[in-house]
Amino acid sequence: MNQFDIFFDYKHIWHPYSSMINPIPSYCVKSAKGIYLKLKNGKNIIDGMSSWWSAIHGYNHPILNKALKKQIKKMSHVMFGGITHPSAIALCQQLISLTPKKLDCIFLCDSGSVSIEVAMKMLIQYWQSLGQKRRLFLTIKNGYHGDTFAAMSVSDPENSIHKIYNNLLPKNLFANTPKSSFHKNWNTSDIISFKEKIEKNSLKIAGVILEPIVQGVGGMNFYHPTFLKEIKILCDYYRIPLIFDEIATGFGRTGKFFAFEHANVVPDILCLGKAMTGGTITLAATLSSRHIANTISESNVKCFMHGPTYMANPLACAVANANIKILKTNEWKTQVSDIESQLSKNLLPLINHPYVTDVRILGAIGVVECSRSVNMFLIQKFFVKNGVWIRPFKNLIYIVPPYIINTYALKKLINVIIEALDDNSLFI
Ligand SMILES: *Cc1c(COP(=O)(O)O)cnc(C)c1O
């Protein structure tokens, strides 16, 4: 690894949401262990992002590594068409045991976005089986469901990163985002917009899709659980299936194993991803009710028409199993609630900072909403120089640290955020 390699990367390799002309330079990570990323120059920085919500138990985890090694000795991959294998079966048994009884059939796929495509395709086929051509999906503004086309079509149409493709995307329905936040009182008027949309289009809507409680990249909002309850009542009344996207929130991040548990509302389809393999290999899952699966299977087509080449990759399934085994010790509960208490103690007071408009905390998620946008290049440099890895976007500085983070390291993350807020040069 030399300077030339970094230059090669800069010149030839796309990074997420980046440019090929003068991109913001990437930092080279040589290795990672626990809560630390080790940079090329040997410096260890504290990870505040869990590699986008996924490395919940930290990097290079001995139990996860062991599961991978054990599986690789047997086989890294085998096609899933006409073949099954023990790791996939074990994983699906785990997923069924962890989710509500209603969710009974599992489709394993490659990534979060694909699990959303799968969920939406399932509902289109579901309605076709019932002899109806339903194409519309209803969601709320400020959502984010991924970067593939169907997923983009239900992500926020105005302020999202997908605005550029607007003309190409199927036109779906967007109700207003509830204003009642998680910790405040429920305002009954918050359901009006959604109610109007579902009433008016009830015979055209194939499904409702939502991120339960926490809206991620669409704005890092935490909304009131009653909103989900009201939505469930409306979906039941109009017999419209409900999809929950728990790709970011699943596996404990919000303080409950699944975010929908905050509202006690069970969806008809559930999408999982990100933390499922503890941040090791891409894997996602779409779980559905038996009713939906059977309706699709009883149609003329008889089959659900999707089947990725690397479906149920054994390495990914094996490591997901190990990840779930760690979660089943329930240690995550104290870890997440300790993080939540410390964020409440040390991050929440930032609400009084002159350039902060809101501070939001839920489980192991801390969000500082600023009155101005960050300068990505400078703030990233600042964070790394100060020994932390935090990747804000727009005016949002947020942390989703690994559950294993200790008090000292979390304090450090928070202190560096405070220092950044006081440095005018890091903002636009
Ligand atoms: C990350 C994310 C996705 C997309 O998952 P990928 O694995 O990046 O395709 C979808 N929905 C939510 C809520 C996410 O956070």
Side-chain angles (χ1 to χ4, degrees), residues 370-385:
C370 309
S371 55
R372 44 194 190 166
S373 287
V374 300
N375 177 320
M376 262 307 251
F377 173 64
L378 292 178
I379 205 163
Q380 198 136 282
K381 216 166 156 180
F382 177 89
F383 283 142
V384 170
K385 194 181 95 204

Side-chain angles (χ1 to χ4, degrees), residues 112-386:
S113 303
V114 175
S115 78
I116 298 290
E117 301 282 322
V118 165
M120 294 171 74
K121 278 175 74 173
M122 277 181 176
L123 288 188
I124 285 169
Q125 268 194 253
Y126 167 80
W127 286 108
Q128 236 155 38
S129 294
L130 296 173
Q132 295 189 37
K133 272 210 172 70
R134 296 200 184 193
R135 293 268 183 278
L136 270 181
F137 286 86
L138 171 59
T139 182
I140 55 174
K141 291 174 188 166
N142 298 107
Y144 174 78
H145 297 285
D147 294 348
T148 51
F149 272 85
M152 285 197 290
S153 78
V154 286
S155 299
D156 193 282
E158 289 306 319
N159 75 25
S160 91
I161 46 192
H162 303 134
K163 200 174 172 180
I164 322 152
Y165 310 98
N166 251 352
N167 295 335
L168 293 170
L169 298 173
K171 292 272 169 283
N172 285 313
L173 302 167
F174 293 85
N176 293 337
T177 314
K179 288 205 178 70
S180 317
S181 62
F182 187 86
H183 298 284
K184 303 264 166 65
N185 292 331
W186 168 247
N187 184 338
T188 49
S189 65
D190 269 349
I191 194 69
I192 293 174
S193 160
F194 186 93
K195 192 159 184 258
E196 279 171 3
K197 292 250 180 330
I198 202 170
E199 269 171 7
K200 195 158 159 244
N201 302 282
S202 70
L203 295 176
K204 287 191 254 166
I205 296 173
V208 166
I209 177 165
L210 291 171
E211 296 157 278
I213 306 292
V214 175
Q215 293 191 294
V217 195
M220 300 297 296
N221 296 315
F222 310 150
Y223 61 80
H224 202 282
T226 304
F227 186 65
L228 288 182
K229 291 192 180 153
E230 299 277 331
I231 279 186
K232 176 69 179 155
I233 293 168
L234 289 165
C235 284
D236 282 350
Y237 182 77
Y238 290 107
R239 294 173 186 276
I240 294 173
L242 180 57
I243 304 171
F244 279 167
D245 174 351
E246 290 254 8
I247 294 163
T249 48
F251 305 100
R253 180 57 68 180
T254 69
K256 300 274 187 196
F257 200 84
F258 295 113
F260 63 70
E261 292 169 29
H262 290 287
N264 261 323
V265 169
V266 175
D268 303 283
I269 296 186
L270 175 66
C271 296
L272 301 174
K274 288 198 163 91
M276 190 153 78
T277 62
T280 53
I281 306 184
T282 179
L283 182 69
T286 308
L287 287 79
S288 83
S289 67
R290 176 64 56 182
H291 168 66
I292 289 175
N294 282 6
T295 307
I296 292 170
S297 311
E298 283 158 5
S299 70
N300 298 338
V301 193
K302 293 199 171 64
C303 300
F304 175 58
M305 297 312 282
H306 205 95
T309 307
Y310 283 92
M311 183 166 181
N313 173 258
L315 281 171
C317 291
V319 74
N321 272 319
N323 177 52
I324 290 172
K325 235 167 248 160
I326 301 173
L327 287 167
K328 279 195 160 171
T329 64
N330 276 332
E331 219 179 322
W332 66 269
K333 285 186 187 167
T334 21
Q335 290 169 333
V336 171
S337 88
D338 286 351
I339 294 171
E340 184 169 39
S341 318
Q342 199 183 339
L343 290 173
S344 305
K345 192 170 131 221
N346 300 133
L347 194 73
L348 205 55
L350 283 182
I351 192 83
N352 298 318
H353 191 283
Y355 291 118
V356 171
T357 47
D358 194 21
V359 180
R360 301 188 276 276
I361 290 151
L362 185 65
I365 313 170
V367 185
V368 179
E369 188 181 292
C370 309
S371 55
R372 44 194 190 166
S373 287
V374 300
N375 177 320
M376 262 307 251
F377 173 64
L378 292 178
I379 205 163
Q380 198 136 282
K381 216 166 156 180
F382 177 89
F383 283 142
V384 170
K385 194 181 95 204
N386 286 286

